[in-house]
Amino acid sequence: MKLVEAELRRIRLPLLAPFRTSFGTEHDRDVLLIRVTTDDGVHGWGECVAGSEPLYSSEYVDAAQQVVRDFLLARLWHLPDISAHRLGPALQAIRGHRMAKAAVEMAVLDAELRSSGISLGDRLGAVRGSVPVGVSVGIGSSIAQLLDTVGGFLAQGYQRIKLKIEPGWDVDVVAAVRERFGDIGLQVDANAAYRLADARHLTELDAFGLILIEQPLPEEDLRGHAALAKQMRTPICLDESIVSAAAAADAIALGACRIVNIKAGRVGGLLEAVRVHDVCAASGVPVWCGGMLETGIGRAANVALAALPNFTLAGDTSASDRYWARDVITEPFALRDGELRVPRGPGLGVDVDADLLAGATTSVERLSGPG
Ligand code: OSB
Ligand code: MG
């Protein structure tokens, strides 16, 4: 299988409601989609999770598109036989840019699996046909508004609630949600908004029986997380800090986390995500699948990944209607008894709706190899 064409398409999708975190508020998503075509005429889709600004991590979508075009695809056109497991060696020289690499890998993997009739779940090692899901709830405008939002998600069947927190929106909010909704699965995500000096304040969260606190301190501060872990009863889970399987091994060895959030985009692709899963499993560290407000394309990959055995906690892979009025795939992901079904068809197992895609498109760049 040889790569002959790639389409870099940008789409703008409005979120049903603004999503506020400690690093900013998103009103819509500006998503880079990649469609590769092989010499057999098979297509494969990839979604890049980079945001429009470098706020979650150093990557952002304009840079990702340039990296994909000029540095990643540029190294792949000439390969006589391309497949996902050959991308690592071919792209090794390019430092970082994991979200860009992950998007290319998803597209190549989708094409390769579609041509051999294998589903992504089967390729990665899925052991479940559906996965339990939770929902990530942004910082609210008031506690009353947040309680309404959380109540709505619980009524839909979400199995756990994750509250985004930041200084000034934390202990009182968690207390109010516990008080109103009782013994629900509840966890919080700080997106690196605190410092180790806030440890005493953060220990107030220990009173609420949270499943975990996600990424309280900066990405680079593994030692800080290890020090905080000694002071808190609530398990620390890392998101931003875990950029590879090696980083996961280091964080676990240091005592910086007891749980890991896995996002394929953050670690450079689905194959590395499986390696993170395996490293954690070998250390008895449970994992769960994070989300980056993906369309149905990236969501299909997340749901397949979340079906691996050590994904024992509900993920942030919520249903399509938690994000979009209309997803870009023909059969949007729907919640059924608090779970999403893992697609069974070849590759990602979802079909893109060409009209919806055309309506959301803001630019298309068509590339082909040197002949
Ligand atoms: O930290 O998990 C995060 C969204 C964008 C960037 C970072 C994060 C998130 C979420 C939303 O929490 C998860 C989702 O529903 O996709
Ligand atoms: Mg997070």
Side-chain angles (χ1 to χ4, degrees):
M1 165 176 134
K2 196 170 171 2
L3 201 60
V4 296
E5 274 171 25
E7 194 179 83
L8 307 188
R9 180 184 295 262
R10 293 280 282 277
I11 63 170
R12 183 169 291 278
L13 278 187
L15 285 161
L16 283 170
F19 186 71
R20 182 170 157 206
T21 63
S22 60
F23 59 76
T25 304
E26 303 217 49
H27 297 269
D28 49 32
R29 290 275 296 149
D30 175 358
V31 183
L32 168 64
L33 298 177
I34 304 178
R35 191 185 77 157
V36 298
T37 307
T38 71
D39 53 351
D40 310 318
V42 176
H43 300 303
W45 285 95
E47 173 169 347
C48 182
V49 299
S52 46
E53 297 182 283
L55 301 175
Y56 164 81
S57 73
S58 64
E59 290 190 78
Y60 62 100
V61 65
D62 283 340
Q65 183 162 348
Q66 190 199 348
V67 168
V68 168
R69 184 209 312 119
D70 296 341
F71 306 125
L72 304 182
L73 291 176
R75 283 171 168 72
L76 302 181
W77 296 121
H78 74 276
L79 295 183
D81 196 11
I82 194 175
S83 61
H85 76 269
R86 294 202 160 107
L87 295 181
L91 303 178
Q92 200 173 25
I94 305 301
R95 314 276 181 198
H97 297 286
R98 293 180 170 92
M99 293 175 180
K101 290 177 179 172
V104 170
E105 188 206 67
M106 192 190 300
V108 168
L109 196 48
D110 185 33
E112 151 187 351
L113 294 173
R114 279 181 207 262
S115 57
S116 52
I118 299 167
S119 73
L120 179 62
D122 283 346
R123 167 71 168 79
L124 298 181
V127 294
R128 281 181 276 276
S130 62
V131 298
V133 296
V135 58
S136 174
V137 183
I139 292 165
S141 50
S142 67
I143 289 185
Q145 173 267 318
L146 180 86
L147 292 174
D148 277 356
T149 303
V150 169
F153 286 134
L154 291 171
Q156 290 173 46
Y158 284 104
Q159 298 201 27
R160 66 100 176 106
I161 299 292
K162 165 170 132 181
L163 302 175
K164 290 290 189 178
I165 59 168
E166 66 180 0
W169 182 268
D170 48 29
V171 177
D172 298 345
V173 180
V174 170
V177 169
R178 255 298 173 245
E179 155 116 334
R180 170 74 67 91
F181 300 108
D183 191 26
I184 59 168
L186 188 61
Q187 62 194 55
V188 295
D189 184 3
N191 288 111
Y194 296 88
R195 297 297 175 266
L196 189 54
D198 300 314
R200 177 124 36 121
H201 176 69
L202 289 172
T203 59
E204 291 181 39
L205 291 170
D206 284 340
F208 303 105
L210 300 176
I211 297 166
L212 57 87
I213 178 173
E214 181 179 347
Q215 198 71 40
L217 308 179
E219 174 181 328
E220 300 80 4
D221 195 7
L222 286 186
R223 289 206 296 179
H225 282 102
L228 180 61
K230 290 201 174 115
Q231 299 174 57
M232 289 192 83
R233 262 203 317 276
T234 308
I236 291 178
C237 168
L238 291 175
D239 172 356
E240 285 89 331
S241 296
I242 306 299
V243 297
S244 63
D250 288 349
I252 293 166
L254 269 169
C257 64
R258 279 156 51 188
I259 300 174
V260 167
N261 164 322
I262 299 186
K263 294 175 179 169
R266 193 194 63 223
V267 303
L270 289 155
L271 301 188
E272 183 73 3
V274 172
R275 290 189 281 269
V276 176
H277 164 274
D278 294 348
V279 159
C280 292
S283 304
V285 169
V287 305
W288 55 283
C289 187
M292 294 289 283
L293 312 174
E294 288 90 347
T295 76
I297 297 170
R299 193 162 308 282
N302 285 346
V303 170
L305 181 66
L308 268 63
N310 193 38
F311 281 82
T312 53
L313 298 168
D316 276 350
T317 60
S318 311
S320 294
D321 68 1
R322 182 262 176 275
Y323 310 92
W324 325 113
R326 193 63 186 81
D327 205 329
V328 300
I329 53 173
T330 54
E331 284 173 56
F333 284 92
L335 202 61
R336 209 196 45 177
D337 298 330
E339 303 201 330
L340 294 191
R341 258 190 293 237
V342 181
R344 302 184 58 173
L348 293 170
V350 292
D351 293 313
V352 172
D353 184 313
D355 291 338
L356 285 165
L357 201 62
T361 296
T362 53
S363 71
V364 184
E365 198 179 349
R366 289 197 176 83
L367 306 168
S368 52

